[in-house]
PDB file of all heavy atoms in Angstrom:
ATOM      1  N   LEU Q   2      75.517 131.412  55.652  1.00 88.00           N
ATOM      2  CA  LEU Q   2      76.468 132.181  54.854  1.00 88.00           C
ATOM      3  C   LEU Q   2      76.702 131.449  53.558  1.00 88.00           C
ATOM      4  O   LEU Q   2      76.985 132.075  52.411  1.00 88.00           O
ATOM      5  CB  LEU Q   2      77.849 132.049  55.620  1.00 88.00           C
ATOM      6  CG  LEU Q   2      77.832 132.769  56.917  1.00 88.00           C
ATOM      7  CD1 LEU Q   2      79.222 132.591  57.545  1.00 88.00           C
ATOM      8  CD2 LEU Q   2      77.654 134.305  56.667  1.00 88.00           C
ATOM      9  N   ARG Q   3      76.574 130.137  53.434  1.00 83.00           N
ATOM     10  CA  ARG Q   3      76.779 129.436  52.219  1.00 83.00           C
ATOM     11  C   ARG Q   3      75.688 129.554  51.219  1.00 83.00           C
ATOM     12  O   ARG Q   3      75.915 129.474  50.028  1.00 83.00           O
ATOM     13  CB  ARG Q   3      77.027 127.964  52.603  1.00 83.00           C
ATOM     14  CG  ARG Q   3      77.620 127.114  51.507  1.00 83.00           C
ATOM     15  CD  ARG Q   3      78.946 127.569  50.980  1.00 83.00           C
ATOM     16  NE  ARG Q   3      79.534 126.760  49.900  1.00 83.00           N
ATOM     17  CZ  ARG Q   3      79.243 127.042  48.530  1.00 83.00           C
ATOM     18  NH1 ARG Q   3      78.504 127.958  48.246  1.00 83.00           N
ATOM     19  NH2 ARG Q   3      79.687 126.253  47.606  1.00 83.00           N
ATOM     20  N   ILE Q   4      74.532 129.708  51.676  1.00 86.00           N
ATOM     21  CA  ILE Q   4      73.342 129.857  50.701  1.00 86.00           C
ATOM     22  C   ILE Q   4      73.115 131.388  50.337  1.00 86.00           C
ATOM     23  O   ILE Q   4      72.497 131.633  49.388  1.00 86.00           O
ATOM     24  CB  ILE Q   4      72.074 129.218  51.386  1.00 86.00           C
ATOM     25  CG1 ILE Q   4      71.604 130.112  52.488  1.00 86.00           C
ATOM     26  CG2 ILE Q   4      72.133 127.790  51.699  1.00 86.00           C
ATOM     27  CD1 ILE Q   4      70.233 129.606  53.039  1.00 86.00           C
ATOM     28  N   LEU Q   5      73.840 132.154  50.997  1.00 89.00           N
ATOM     29  CA  LEU Q   5      73.791 133.564  50.635  1.00 89.00           C
ATOM     30  C   LEU Q   5      74.795 134.050  49.435  1.00 89.00           C
ATOM     31  O   LEU Q   5      74.557 135.084  48.852  1.00 89.00           O
ATOM     32  CB  LEU Q   5      73.997 134.656  51.901  1.00 89.00           C
ATOM     33  CG  LEU Q   5      72.920 134.600  52.906  1.00 89.00           C
ATOM     34  CD1 LEU Q   5      73.352 135.380  54.180  1.00 89.00           C
ATOM     35  CD2 LEU Q   5      71.758 135.221  52.257  1.00 89.00           C
ATOM     36  N   ALA Q   6      75.776 133.154  49.249  1.00 85.00           N
ATOM     37  CA  ALA Q   6      76.746 133.452  48.262  1.00 85.00           C
ATOM     38  C   ALA Q   6      77.386 132.280  47.652  1.00 85.00           C
ATOM     39  O   ALA Q   6      77.576 131.331  48.531  1.00 85.00           O
ATOM     40  CB  ALA Q   6      77.737 134.510  48.767  1.00 85.00           C
ATOM     41  N   PRO Q   7      77.923 132.225  46.424  1.00 81.00           N
ATOM     42  CA  PRO Q   7      78.658 131.031  45.982  1.00 81.00           C
ATOM     43  C   PRO Q   7      79.950 130.787  46.619  1.00 81.00           C
ATOM     44  O   PRO Q   7      80.487 131.682  47.318  1.00 81.00           O
ATOM     45  CB  PRO Q   7      78.696 131.417  44.515  1.00 81.00           C
ATOM     46  CG  PRO Q   7      78.650 132.769  44.304  1.00 81.00           C
ATOM     47  CD  PRO Q   7      77.733 133.174  45.399  1.00 81.00           C
ATOM     48  N   ALA Q   8      80.623 129.666  46.180  1.00 74.00           N
ATOM     49  CA  ALA Q   8      81.774 129.210  46.790  1.00 74.00           C
ATOM     50  C   ALA Q   8      82.911 130.267  46.670  1.00 74.00           C
ATOM     51  O   ALA Q   8      83.672 130.504  47.647  1.00 74.00           O
ATOM     52  CB  ALA Q   8      82.274 128.012  46.244  1.00 74.00           C
ATOM     53  N   GLU Q   9      83.060 130.876  45.586  1.00 79.00           N
ATOM     54  CA  GLU Q   9      84.252 131.870  45.388  1.00 79.00           C
ATOM     55  C   GLU Q   9      84.061 133.189  46.217  1.00 79.00           C
ATOM     56  O   GLU Q   9      85.124 133.945  46.150  1.00 79.00           O
ATOM     57  CB  GLU Q   9      84.420 132.230  43.833  1.00 79.00           C
ATOM     58  CG  GLU Q   9      83.158 132.938  43.325  1.00 79.00           C
ATOM     59  CD  GLU Q   9      82.166 131.889  42.654  1.00 79.00           C
ATOM     60  OE1 GLU Q   9      82.191 130.750  42.970  1.00 79.00           O
ATOM     61  OE2 GLU Q   9      81.378 132.267  41.720  1.00 79.00           O
ATOM     62  N   TYR Q  10      83.031 133.282  46.815  1.00 83.00           N
ATOM     63  CA  TYR Q  10      82.742 134.582  47.649  1.00 83.00           C
ATOM     64  C   TYR Q  10      82.857 134.186  49.230  1.00 83.00           C
ATOM     65  O   TYR Q  10      82.741 135.011  50.023  1.00 83.00           O
ATOM     66  CB  TYR Q  10      81.414 135.106  47.507  1.00 83.00           C
ATOM     67  CG  TYR Q  10      81.266 135.911  46.319  1.00 83.00           C
ATOM     68  CD1 TYR Q  10      81.123 135.472  44.969  1.00 83.00           C
ATOM     69  CD2 TYR Q  10      81.278 137.314  46.463  1.00 83.00           C
ATOM     70  CE1 TYR Q  10      80.995 136.171  43.898  1.00 83.00           C
ATOM     71  CE2 TYR Q  10      81.160 138.145  45.247  1.00 83.00           C
ATOM     72  CZ  TYR Q  10      81.105 137.492  44.020  1.00 83.00           C
ATOM     73  OH  TYR Q  10      80.891 138.428  42.897  1.00 83.00           O
ATOM     74  N   GLN Q  11      83.264 132.865  49.524  1.00 81.00           N
ATOM     75  CA  GLN Q  11      83.103 132.350  50.937  1.00 81.00           C
ATOM     76  C   GLN Q  11      84.168 133.006  51.779  1.00 81.00           C
ATOM     77  O   GLN Q  11      84.031 133.075  52.992  1.00 81.00           O
ATOM     78  CB  GLN Q  11      83.091 130.842  51.066  1.00 81.00           C
ATOM     79  CG  GLN Q  11      81.732 130.258  50.623  1.00 81.00           C
ATOM     80  CD  GLN Q  11      80.606 130.820  51.275  1.00 81.00           C
ATOM     81  OE1 GLN Q  11      80.515 130.619  52.578  1.00 81.00           O
ATOM     82  NE2 GLN Q  11      79.675 131.467  50.657  1.00 81.00           N
ATOM     83  N   GLY Q  12      85.262 133.311  51.151  1.00 82.00           N
ATOM     84  CA  GLY Q  12      86.367 134.002  52.016  1.00 82.00           C
ATOM     85  C   GLY Q  12      85.962 135.384  52.462  1.00 82.00           C
ATOM     86  O   GLY Q  12      85.893 135.690  53.743  1.00 82.00           O
ATOM     87  N   ARG Q  13      85.267 135.975  51.666  1.00 85.00           N
ATOM     88  CA  ARG Q  13      84.710 137.324  52.064  1.00 85.00           C
ATOM     89  C   ARG Q  13      83.441 137.225  52.925  1.00 85.00           C
ATOM     90  O   ARG Q  13      83.381 137.925  53.872  1.00 85.00           O
ATOM     91  CB  ARG Q  13      84.232 138.146  50.783  1.00 85.00           C
ATOM     92  CG  ARG Q  13      85.344 139.101  50.233  1.00 85.00           C
ATOM     93  CD  ARG Q  13      84.965 139.565  48.895  1.00 85.00           C
ATOM     94  NE  ARG Q  13      85.087 138.306  47.744  1.00 85.00           N
ATOM     95  CZ  ARG Q  13      84.904 138.638  46.439  1.00 85.00           C
ATOM     96  NH1 ARG Q  13      84.686 139.763  46.020  1.00 85.00           N
ATOM     97  NH2 ARG Q  13      85.229 137.677  45.657  1.00 85.00           N
ATOM     98  N   MET Q  14      82.743 136.286  52.631  1.00 88.00           N
ATOM     99  CA  MET Q  14      81.435 136.091  53.456  1.00 88.00           C
ATOM    100  C   MET Q  14      81.912 135.769  54.964  1.00 88.00           C
ATOM    101  O   MET Q  14      81.303 136.297  55.874  1.00 88.00           O
ATOM    102  CB  MET Q  14      80.535 134.888  52.887  1.00 88.00           C
ATOM    103  CG  MET Q  14      79.963 135.104  51.517  1.00 88.00           C
ATOM    104  SD  MET Q  14      78.735 136.620  51.665  1.00 88.00           S
ATOM    105  CE  MET Q  14      77.455 135.721  52.332  1.00 88.00           C
ATOM    106  N   ASN Q  15      82.811 134.694  55.097  1.00 83.00           N
ATOM    107  CA  ASN Q  15      83.275 134.423  56.475  1.00 83.00           C
ATOM    108  C   ASN Q  15      83.971 135.514  57.151  1.00 83.00           C
ATOM    109  O   ASN Q  15      83.901 135.686  58.251  1.00 83.00           O
ATOM    110  CB  ASN Q  15      84.006 133.090  56.437  1.00 83.00           C
ATOM    111  CG  ASN Q  15      83.245 131.801  56.220  1.00 83.00           C
ATOM    112  OD1 ASN Q  15      82.714 131.367  57.139  1.00 83.00           O
ATOM    113  ND2 ASN Q  15      82.979 131.337  54.996  1.00 83.00           N
ATOM    114  N   GLY Q  16      84.848 136.267  56.259  1.00 84.00           N
ATOM    115  CA  GLY Q  16      85.609 137.321  56.878  1.00 84.00           C
ATOM    116  C   GLY Q  16      84.687 138.499  57.376  1.00 84.00           C
ATOM    117  O   GLY Q  16      84.809 139.074  58.347  1.00 84.00           O
ATOM    118  N   LEU Q  17      83.611 138.844  56.577  1.00 88.00           N
ATOM    119  CA  LEU Q  17      82.525 139.918  56.864  1.00 88.00           C
ATOM    120  C   LEU Q  17      81.810 139.350  58.138  1.00 88.00           C
ATOM    121  O   LEU Q  17      81.541 140.147  58.979  1.00 88.00           O
ATOM    122  CB  LEU Q  17      81.814 140.147  55.808  1.00 88.00           C
ATOM    123  CG  LEU Q  17      82.344 140.993  54.526  1.00 88.00           C
ATOM    124  CD1 LEU Q  17      81.510 140.990  53.328  1.00 88.00           C
ATOM    125  CD2 LEU Q  17      82.736 142.354  54.879  1.00 88.00           C
ATOM    126  N   TYR Q  18      81.440 138.116  58.012  1.00 89.00           N
ATOM    127  CA  TYR Q  18      80.636 137.579  59.113  1.00 89.00           C
ATOM    128  C   TYR Q  18      81.492 137.680  60.524  1.00 89.00           C
ATOM    129  O   TYR Q  18      80.887 138.041  61.486  1.00 89.00           O
ATOM    130  CB  TYR Q  18      80.239 136.202  58.911  1.00 89.00           C
ATOM    131  CG  TYR Q  18      80.108 135.211  60.061  1.00 89.00           C
ATOM    132  CD1 TYR Q  18      78.954 135.381  61.032  1.00 89.00           C
ATOM    133  CD2 TYR Q  18      81.209 134.348  60.328  1.00 89.00           C
ATOM    134  CE1 TYR Q  18      79.000 134.542  62.058  1.00 89.00           C
ATOM    135  CE2 TYR Q  18      81.094 133.391  61.535  1.00 89.00           C
ATOM    136  CZ  TYR Q  18      79.986 133.537  62.312  1.00 89.00           C
ATOM    137  OH  TYR Q  18      80.024 132.776  63.398  1.00 89.00           O
ATOM    138  N   SER Q  19      82.736 137.248  60.431  1.00 82.00           N
ATOM    139  CA  SER Q  19      83.580 137.182  61.539  1.00 82.00           C
ATOM    140  C   SER Q  19      83.807 138.662  62.098  1.00 82.00           C
ATOM    141  O   SER Q  19      83.927 138.933  63.199  1.00 82.00           O
ATOM    142  CB  SER Q  19      84.841 136.452  61.242  1.00 82.00           C
ATOM    143  OG  SER Q  19      85.599 136.351  62.448  1.00 82.00           O
ATOM    144  N   GLY Q  20      84.104 139.614  60.975  1.00 84.00           N
ATOM    145  CA  GLY Q  20      84.309 140.992  61.335  1.00 84.00           C
ATOM    146  C   GLY Q  20      83.146 141.649  62.086  1.00 84.00           C
ATOM    147  O   GLY Q  20      83.193 142.344  63.008  1.00 84.00           O
ATOM    148  N   ALA Q  21      81.969 141.246  61.579  1.00 88.00           N
ATOM    149  CA  ALA Q  21      80.723 141.779  62.120  1.00 88.00           C
ATOM    150  C   ALA Q  21      80.570 141.287  63.613  1.00 88.00           C
ATOM    151  O   ALA Q  21      80.098 141.880  64.474  1.00 88.00           O
ATOM    152  CB  ALA Q  21      79.480 141.358  61.316  1.00 88.00           C
ATOM    153  N   SER Q  22      80.975 139.993  63.817  1.00 85.00           N
ATOM    154  CA  SER Q  22      80.871 139.380  65.177  1.00 85.00           C
ATOM    155  C   SER Q  22      81.827 140.116  66.001  1.00 85.00           C
ATOM    156  O   SER Q  22      81.523 140.510  67.178  1.00 85.00           O
ATOM    157  CB  SER Q  22      81.376 137.833  65.093  1.00 85.00           C
ATOM    158  OG  SER Q  22      80.464 137.186  64.262  1.00 85.00           O
ATOM    159  N   GLY Q  23      82.972 140.315  65.575  1.00 79.00           N
ATOM    160  CA  GLY Q  23      84.060 141.174  66.287  1.00 79.00           C
ATOM    161  C   GLY Q  23      83.490 142.575  66.629  1.00 79.00           C
ATOM    162  O   GLY Q  23      83.748 142.934  67.854  1.00 79.00           O
ATOM    163  N   ILE Q  24      82.943 143.118  65.744  1.00 85.00           N
ATOM    164  CA  ILE Q  24      82.337 144.577  66.137  1.00 85.00           C
ATOM    165  C   ILE Q  24      81.298 144.464  67.068  1.00 85.00           C
ATOM    166  O   ILE Q  24      81.126 145.266  68.016  1.00 85.00           O
ATOM    167  CB  ILE Q  24      81.842 145.171  64.766  1.00 85.00           C
ATOM    168  CG1 ILE Q  24      83.055 145.490  63.833  1.00 85.00           C
ATOM    169  CG2 ILE Q  24      81.128 146.623  65.038  1.00 85.00           C
ATOM    170  CD1 ILE Q  24      82.635 146.005  62.441  1.00 85.00           C
ATOM    171  N   GLY Q  25      80.425 143.351  66.842  1.00 85.00           N
ATOM    172  CA  GLY Q  25      79.304 143.208  67.859  1.00 85.00           C
ATOM    173  C   GLY Q  25      79.780 142.925  69.157  1.00 85.00           C
ATOM    174  O   GLY Q  25      79.456 143.487  70.195  1.00 85.00           O
ATOM    175  N   TYR Q  26      80.797 142.039  69.274  1.00 78.00           N
ATOM    176  CA  TYR Q  26      81.518 141.613  70.554  1.00 78.00           C
ATOM    177  C   TYR Q  26      82.000 142.932  71.362  1.00 78.00           C
ATOM    178  O   TYR Q  26      81.779 143.280  72.460  1.00 78.00           O
ATOM    179  CB  TYR Q  26      82.560 140.712  70.371  1.00 78.00           C
ATOM    180  CG  TYR Q  26      82.268 139.436  70.110  1.00 78.00           C
ATOM    181  CD1 TYR Q  26      82.654 138.488  69.057  1.00 78.00           C
ATOM    182  CD2 TYR Q  26      81.398 138.603  71.169  1.00 78.00           C
ATOM    183  CE1 TYR Q  26      82.323 137.181  68.869  1.00 78.00           C
ATOM    184  CE2 TYR Q  26      81.068 137.186  71.010  1.00 78.00           C
ATOM    185  CZ  TYR Q  26      81.545 136.626  69.739  1.00 78.00           C
ATOM    186  OH  TYR Q  26      81.177 135.269  69.634  1.00 78.00           O
ATOM    187  N   PHE Q  27      82.766 143.692  70.592  1.00 78.00           N
ATOM    188  CA  PHE Q  27      83.423 144.915  70.855  1.00 78.00           C
ATOM    189  C   PHE Q  27      82.424 146.003  71.482  1.00 78.00           C
ATOM    190  O   PHE Q  27      82.522 146.455  72.684  1.00 78.00           O
ATOM    191  CB  PHE Q  27      84.246 145.590  69.893  1.00 78.00           C
ATOM    192  CG  PHE Q  27      85.095 146.791  70.292  1.00 78.00           C
ATOM    193  CD1 PHE Q  27      86.297 146.725  70.975  1.00 78.00           C
ATOM    194  CD2 PHE Q  27      84.511 147.976  69.886  1.00 78.00           C
ATOM    195  CE1 PHE Q  27      86.875 147.791  71.376  1.00 78.00           C
ATOM    196  CE2 PHE Q  27      85.167 149.108  70.316  1.00 78.00           C
ATOM    197  CZ  PHE Q  27      86.403 149.125  71.048  1.00 78.00           C
ATOM    198  N   ILE Q  28      81.359 146.352  70.736  1.00 84.00           N
ATOM    199  CA  ILE Q  28      80.404 147.280  71.126  1.00 84.00           C
ATOM    200  C   ILE Q  28      79.604 146.742  72.356  1.00 84.00           C
ATOM    201  O   ILE Q  28      79.513 147.520  73.341  1.00 84.00           O
ATOM    202  CB  ILE Q  28      79.368 147.595  70.018  1.00 84.00           C
ATOM    203  CG1 ILE Q  28      80.169 148.317  68.890  1.00 84.00           C
ATOM    204  CG2 ILE Q  28      78.312 148.526  70.466  1.00 84.00           C
ATOM    205  CD1 ILE Q  28      79.363 148.515  67.621  1.00 84.00           C
ATOM    206  N   ILE Q  29      79.147 145.575  72.346  1.00 83.00           N
ATOM    207  CA  ILE Q  29      78.394 144.980  73.392  1.00 83.00           C
ATOM    208  C   ILE Q  29      79.137 144.935  74.650  1.00 83.00           C
ATOM    209  O   ILE Q  29      78.670 145.387  75.743  1.00 83.00           O
ATOM    210  CB  ILE Q  29      77.789 143.595  73.061  1.00 83.00           C
ATOM    211  CG1 ILE Q  29      76.811 143.724  71.899  1.00 83.00           C
ATOM    212  CG2 ILE Q  29      77.201 142.958  74.228  1.00 83.00           C
ATOM    213  CD1 ILE Q  29      76.429 142.483  71.282  1.00 83.00           C
ATOM    214  N   ASN Q  30      80.268 144.335  74.591  1.00 75.00           N
ATOM    215  CA  ASN Q  30      81.192 144.179  75.865  1.00 75.00           C
ATOM    216  C   ASN Q  30      81.608 145.578  76.338  1.00 75.00           C
ATOM    217  O   ASN Q  30      81.749 145.826  77.636  1.00 75.00           O
ATOM    218  CB  ASN Q  30      82.315 143.320  75.448  1.00 75.00           C
ATOM    219  CG  ASN Q  30      81.911 141.849  75.461  1.00 75.00           C
ATOM    220  OD1 ASN Q  30      81.920 141.257  76.647  1.00 75.00           O
ATOM    221  ND2 ASN Q  30      81.729 141.388  74.303  1.00 75.00           N
ATOM    222  N   MET Q  31      81.891 146.455  75.447  1.00 77.00           N
ATOM    223  CA  MET Q  31      82.423 147.795  75.954  1.00 77.00           C
ATOM    224  C   MET Q  31      81.168 148.571  76.706  1.00 77.00           C
ATOM    225  O   MET Q  31      81.245 149.206  77.544  1.00 77.00           O
ATOM    226  CB  MET Q  31      82.910 148.663  74.688  1.00 77.00           C
ATOM    227  CG  MET Q  31      84.363 148.263  74.227  1.00 77.00           C
ATOM    228  SD  MET Q  31      85.500 148.416  75.442  1.00 77.00           S
ATOM    229  CE  MET Q  31      85.763 150.046  75.668  1.00 77.00           C
ATOM    230  N   ALA Q  32      79.985 148.234  76.172  1.00 84.00           N
ATOM    231  CA  ALA Q  32      78.725 148.819  76.771  1.00 84.00           C
ATOM    232  C   ALA Q  32      78.450 148.228  78.102  1.00 84.00           C
ATOM    233  O   ALA Q  32      77.988 148.891  79.073  1.00 84.00           O
ATOM    234  CB  ALA Q  32      77.610 148.685  75.770  1.00 84.00           C
ATOM    235  N   MET Q  33      79.058 147.030  78.259  1.00 83.00           N
ATOM    236  CA  MET Q  33      78.769 146.369  79.515  1.00 83.00           C
ATOM    237  C   MET Q  33      79.802 146.762  80.634  1.00 83.00           C
ATOM    238  O   MET Q  33      79.472 146.572  81.744  1.00 83.00           O
ATOM    239  CB  MET Q  33      78.931 144.897  79.294  1.00 83.00           C
ATOM    240  CG  MET Q  33      77.721 144.104  78.676  1.00 83.00           C
ATOM    241  SD  MET Q  33      76.297 144.394  79.748  1.00 83.00           S
ATOM    242  CE  MET Q  33      75.583 145.861  79.124  1.00 83.00           C
ATOM    243  N   VAL Q  34      80.825 147.372  80.219  1.00 80.00           N
ATOM    244  CA  VAL Q  34      81.833 147.760  81.155  1.00 80.00           C
ATOM    245  C   VAL Q  34      81.384 148.691  82.158  1.00 80.00           C
ATOM    246  O   VAL Q  34      81.468 148.550  83.322  1.00 80.00           O
ATOM    247  CB  VAL Q  34      83.150 148.253  80.577  1.00 80.00           C
ATOM    248  CG1 VAL Q  34      84.124 148.897  81.540  1.00 80.00           C
ATOM    249  CG2 VAL Q  34      83.843 147.170  79.762  1.00 80.00           C
ATOM    250  N   PRO Q  35      80.722 149.835  81.824  1.00 85.00           N
ATOM    251  CA  PRO Q  35      80.066 150.777  82.676  1.00 85.00           C
ATOM    252  C   PRO Q  35      78.989 150.237  83.523  1.00 85.00           C
ATOM    253  O   PRO Q  35      78.814 150.524  84.631  1.00 85.00           O
ATOM    254  CB  PRO Q  35      79.675 151.969  81.823  1.00 85.00           C
ATOM    255  CG  PRO Q  35      79.606 151.530  80.445  1.00 85.00           C
ATOM    256  CD  PRO Q  35      80.687 150.399  80.248  1.00 85.00           C
ATOM    257  N   VAL Q  36      78.190 149.316  82.836  1.00 85.00           N
ATOM    258  CA  VAL Q  36      77.022 148.710  83.552  1.00 85.00           C
ATOM    259  C   VAL Q  36      77.561 147.770  84.610  1.00 85.00           C
ATOM    260  O   VAL Q  36      77.101 147.861  85.780  1.00 85.00           O
ATOM    261  CB  VAL Q  36      76.254 147.812  82.627  1.00 85.00           C
ATOM    262  CG1 VAL Q  36      75.117 147.055  83.223  1.00 85.00           C
ATOM    263  CG2 VAL Q  36      75.518 148.703  81.564  1.00 85.00           C
ATOM    264  N   TYR Q  37      78.602 146.953  84.312  1.00 84.00           N
ATOM    265  CA  TYR Q  37      79.149 146.150  85.307  1.00 84.00           C
ATOM    266  C   TYR Q  37      79.841 146.993  86.316  1.00 84.00           C
ATOM    267  O   TYR Q  37      79.712 146.653  87.564  1.00 84.00           O
ATOM    268  CB  TYR Q  37      80.201 145.194  84.661  1.00 84.00           C
ATOM    269  CG  TYR Q  37      81.021 144.413  85.497  1.00 84.00           C
ATOM    270  CD1 TYR Q  37      80.571 143.098  86.039  1.00 84.00           C
ATOM    271  CD2 TYR Q  37      82.352 144.744  85.937  1.00 84.00           C
ATOM    272  CE1 TYR Q  37      81.222 142.347  86.941  1.00 84.00           C
ATOM    273  CE2 TYR Q  37      83.105 143.954  86.866  1.00 84.00           C
ATOM    274  CZ  TYR Q  37      82.480 142.803  87.283  1.00 84.00           C
ATOM    275  OH  TYR Q  37      83.195 142.070  88.195  1.00 84.00           O
ATOM    276  N   ASP Q  38      80.566 148.011  85.987  1.00 83.00           N
ATOM    277  CA  ASP Q  38      81.255 148.740  87.008  1.00 83.00           C
ATOM    278  C   ASP Q  38      80.353 149.600  87.861  1.00 83.00           C
ATOM    279  O   ASP Q  38      80.685 149.487  89.147  1.00 83.00           O
ATOM    280  CB  ASP Q  38      82.028 149.881  86.149  1.00 83.00           C
ATOM    281  CG  ASP Q  38      83.178 150.504  86.991  1.00 83.00           C
ATOM    282  OD1 ASP Q  38      83.957 149.728  87.750  1.00 83.00           O
ATOM    283  OD2 ASP Q  38      83.270 151.664  87.035  1.00 83.00           O
ATOM    284  N   TYR Q  39      79.128 150.000  87.356  1.00 86.00           N
ATOM    285  CA  TYR Q  39      78.230 150.561  88.255  1.00 86.00           C
ATOM    286  C   TYR Q  39      77.628 149.679  89.229  1.00 86.00           C
ATOM    287  O   TYR Q  39      77.508 150.009  90.549  1.00 86.00           O
ATOM    288  CB  TYR Q  39      77.029 151.176  87.426  1.00 86.00           C
ATOM    289  CG  TYR Q  39      76.064 151.846  88.170  1.00 86.00           C
ATOM    290  CD1 TYR Q  39      76.123 153.211  88.561  1.00 86.00           C
ATOM    291  CD2 TYR Q  39      74.817 151.194  88.463  1.00 86.00           C
ATOM    292  CE1 TYR Q  39      75.154 153.767  89.363  1.00 86.00           C
ATOM    293  CE2 TYR Q  39      73.792 151.846  89.213  1.00 86.00           C
ATOM    294  CZ  TYR Q  39      73.990 153.118  89.662  1.00 86.00           C
ATOM    295  OH  TYR Q  39      72.927 153.639  90.330  1.00 86.00           O
ATOM    296  N   PHE Q  40      77.287 148.430  88.840  1.00 86.00           N
ATOM    297  CA  PHE Q  40      76.490 147.620  89.777  1.00 86.00           C
ATOM    298  C   PHE Q  40      77.515 146.761  90.603  1.00 86.00           C
ATOM    299  O   PHE Q  40      77.210 146.314  91.713  1.00 86.00           O
ATOM    300  CB  PHE Q  40      75.575 146.593  88.988  1.00 86.00           C
ATOM    301  CG  PHE Q  40      74.413 147.206  88.583  1.00 86.00           C
ATOM    302  CD1 PHE Q  40      74.164 147.740  87.217  1.00 86.00           C
ATOM    303  CD2 PHE Q  40      73.245 147.314  89.337  1.00 86.00           C
ATOM    304  CE1 PHE Q  40      72.971 148.419  86.768  1.00 86.00           C
ATOM    305  CE2 PHE Q  40      72.107 147.929  88.961  1.00 86.00           C
ATOM    306  CZ  PHE Q  40      72.001 148.442  87.621  1.00 86.00           C
ATOM    307  N   SER Q  41      78.814 146.714  90.053  1.00 80.00           N
ATOM    308  CA  SER Q  41      79.712 146.064  91.000  1.00 80.00           C
ATOM    309  C   SER Q  41      80.148 146.858  92.095  1.00 80.00           C
ATOM    310  O   SER Q  41      80.949 146.374  93.122  1.00 80.00           O
ATOM    311  CB  SER Q  41      80.982 145.680  90.086  1.00 80.00           C
ATOM    312  OG  SER Q  41      81.592 146.856  89.629  1.00 80.00           O
ATOM    313  N   ALA Q  42      79.708 148.115  92.227  1.00 79.00           N
ATOM    314  CA  ALA Q  42      79.989 148.944  93.417  1.00 79.00           C
ATOM    315  C   ALA Q  42      79.323 148.204  94.556  1.00 79.00           C
ATOM    316  O   ALA Q  42      79.699 148.268  95.855  1.00 79.00           O
ATOM    317  CB  ALA Q  42      79.396 150.347  93.351  1.00 79.00           C
ATOM    318  N   LEU Q  43      78.201 147.535  94.368  1.00 79.00           N
ATOM    319  CA  LEU Q  43      77.530 146.750  95.311  1.00 79.00           C
ATOM    320  C   LEU Q  43      78.346 145.421  95.645  1.00 79.00           C
ATOM    321  O   LEU Q  43      78.694 144.993  96.679  1.00 79.00           O
ATOM    322  CB  LEU Q  43      76.166 146.377  95.015  1.00 79.00           C
ATOM    323  CG  LEU Q  43      75.185 147.682  94.755  1.00 79.00           C
ATOM    324  CD1 LEU Q  43      73.808 147.110  94.187  1.00 79.00           C
ATOM    325  CD2 LEU Q  43      75.012 148.338  96.093  1.00 79.00           C
ATOM    326  N   SER Q  44      78.577 144.765  94.535  1.00 78.00           N
ATOM    327  CA  SER Q  44      79.447 143.529  94.484  1.00 78.00           C
ATOM    328  C   SER Q  44      79.689 143.126  93.122  1.00 78.00           C
ATOM    329  O   SER Q  44      78.923 143.536  92.207  1.00 78.00           O
ATOM    330  CB  SER Q  44      78.849 142.379  95.231  1.00 78.00           C
ATOM    331  OG  SER Q  44      77.668 141.855  94.632  1.00 78.00           O
ATOM    332  N   ASP Q  45      80.782 142.364  92.845  1.00 76.00           N
ATOM    333  CA  ASP Q  45      80.982 141.879  91.479  1.00 76.00           C
ATOM    334  C   ASP Q  45      79.884 140.883  91.025  1.00 76.00           C
ATOM    335  O   ASP Q  45      79.482 140.891  89.851  1.00 76.00           O
ATOM    336  CB  ASP Q  45      82.376 141.042  91.433  1.00 76.00           C
ATOM    337  CG  ASP Q  45      83.536 142.051  91.458  1.00 76.00           C
ATOM    338  OD1 ASP Q  45      83.487 143.127  90.846  1.00 76.00           O
ATOM    339  OD2 ASP Q  45      84.464 141.692  92.041  1.00 76.00           O
ATOM    340  N   GLY Q  46      79.261 140.214  91.907  1.00 80.00           N
ATOM    341  CA  GLY Q  46      78.237 139.325  91.666  1.00 80.00           C
ATOM    342  C   GLY Q  46      77.029 140.149  91.163  1.00 80.00           C
ATOM    343  O   GLY Q  46      76.354 139.747  89.986  1.00 80.00           O
ATOM    344  N   GLN Q  47      76.674 141.237  91.634  1.00 85.00           N
ATOM    345  CA  GLN Q  47      75.568 142.050  91.226  1.00 85.00           C
ATOM    346  C   GLN Q  47      75.862 142.787  89.798  1.00 85.00           C
ATOM    347  O   GLN Q  47      75.025 142.908  88.970  1.00 85.00           O
ATOM    348  CB  GLN Q  47      75.319 143.208  92.229  1.00 85.00           C
ATOM    349  CG  GLN Q  47      74.611 142.773  93.531  1.00 85.00           C
ATOM    350  CD  GLN Q  47      73.260 142.168  93.260  1.00 85.00           C
ATOM    351  OE1 GLN Q  47      72.437 142.530  92.507  1.00 85.00           O
ATOM    352  NE2 GLN Q  47      73.083 140.985  93.982  1.00 85.00           N
TER     353      GLN Q  47
END
């Protein structure tokens, strides 16, 4: 993040990075809910 932009852009860089992380977390984990729900019919471990 630091080598991609100078110091005065680091608020935005870290905010965008963290926002992208949040979106990634959200999409991935939401996608996992039906997967987990389907296989947890056998057991939560599965």
